[in-house]
Amino acid sequence: MNLNKSGAILKFPKNFLWGASSSAYQIEGGNINDWSEWEKKRANKQAREGGSAYHKPSDPELQRKAKNPLNYICGRACDGYNRYEEDFDIAKSLNHNAHRFSIEWSRVEPEEGKFNKKEIEHYKKVVQALHKRGIEPLVTLWHYTNPLWFTRAGGWAGKGSVDKFLRYSERIVTELKDDVKYWITENEPETVARNSYILGARPPQKKSVIKGFRVLGALVEAHNRAYDLIHEIDGEAKVGCSESLVYFESYNNWPHNLLAKKILEYWRNEKFFPRIIEHSDFLGLQYYFHSCVRINPFKSWKGFQYNENKKLSDMGWEIYPEGIYYILKSLKKYNLPIIITENGIADYKDGYRADFIKDHLIWTHRAIEEGVKVKGYFYWSFLDNFEWDSGFWPRFGLVEVDYKSFERKIRPSAWIYAKICKNNALRITN
Ligand code: BGC
């Protein structure tokens, strides 16, 4: 499909939310939860293998980092817990008018039913620090990590998991409601059901399809009930849930590839949103890649993907901006506002990031012109951070972090994005 001509200026809707995302565990440091316990048991093995089950870097400099067991221990992360004022000053200097972050459940409820007031106060200060700088907070209640007591009781597959999450949500929303309008109940429930249970690759590593379905069911119920609860506490709140969707194509018209594409599309893109649509004020879209499906019985599961674009991120993910347009168009049927809550690239040399952002925004703009109600864009991630089972080597940040001194350094691409945020518009250049 042809895009707009060079020199054209693409204007974004009024009051568009511009910012970046983060999550508590990945930046704060000092958290003790199911991930912190799991990674300790895995670090040496992953270092020996030079990466996680799915991601092994090909760049020699990154390979060296991926062989260090310390790469896989989150520890102090970016020390974001203590440096949020400094970080929000940076966000302001980059013209962000919104910021997405998450609350760490294990901090505020370290023991079942016992809330830590000091930690709740901390998060109040965080949202107030954003407001002080004219930045709108988007708060995620649950971004993958669970308190240890919750995990011991079976986690999301255990009895009463939804009620436990609601008790926590009720407390947080009641405390923060005066300063928070946008709530994201959960981050990528499907990813968790798939990676942690169906594929059994992430904590709690309970490989079971039945559990995977049970967990997804619990997360659907948790979202729907949290939606009602948040609205009872604050009738004005805007509540949504974030999912990662993939743009699938079939390699050719052979029936088995077409069928595989349909099944994958159903599972990744259609399984969750329809079940929460009646309980959503907006949809949170996270878009990272495209997948050209070609089943090859002589290869491993990796043979599903036959992407031909040779531009890859440091994680080996294909750069395919056009996909965001097709995904946005596919969400039009729900007739809900959409916030792009994550879109980003691991690119430690910062060679691709500026074009990555611009190209995804150009395609987003095309979808807006065709009637999709996109209300905001959040780059993933604000800071370099702890990339789950891959650890620290992938660098997604607009802002580079030195993990020894915790010094922040704004990357050149961040300034290009800052200009777009400031102008609420993008000029196409070639
Ligand atoms: C998750 C982030 C993660 C990012 C890059 C998203 O699916 O929400 O926590 O860091 O992808 O892998």
Side-chain angles (χ1 to χ4, degrees), residues 259-299:
L259 179 68
K261 177 206 160 219
K262 275 251 160 271
I263 294 170
L264 289 167
E265 209 164 47
Y266 167 72
W267 177 266
R268 284 293 302 245
N269 300 349
E270 303 282 344
K271 184 116 186 68
F272 190 79
F273 277 153
R275 297 170 74 185
I276 62 156
I277 222 68
E278 299 293 323
H279 292 82
S280 294
D281 300 316
F282 64 88
L283 298 176
L285 169 65
Q286 329 220 116
Y287 172 76
Y288 285 92
F289 36 71
H290 148 255
S291 173
C292 186
V293 182
R294 182 188 184 189
I295 300 286
N296 181 342
F298 303 107
K299 284 205 172 183

Side-chain angles (χ1 to χ4, degrees), residues 26 143-144 187-188 286 288 317 342 380 387-388 396:
Q26 293 177 274
H143 196 123
Y144 290 174
N187 184 72
E188 300 189 4
Q286 329 220 116
Y288 285 92
W317 296 352
E342 284 185 29
W380 180 272
E387 176 54 24
W388 304 113
F396 278 89

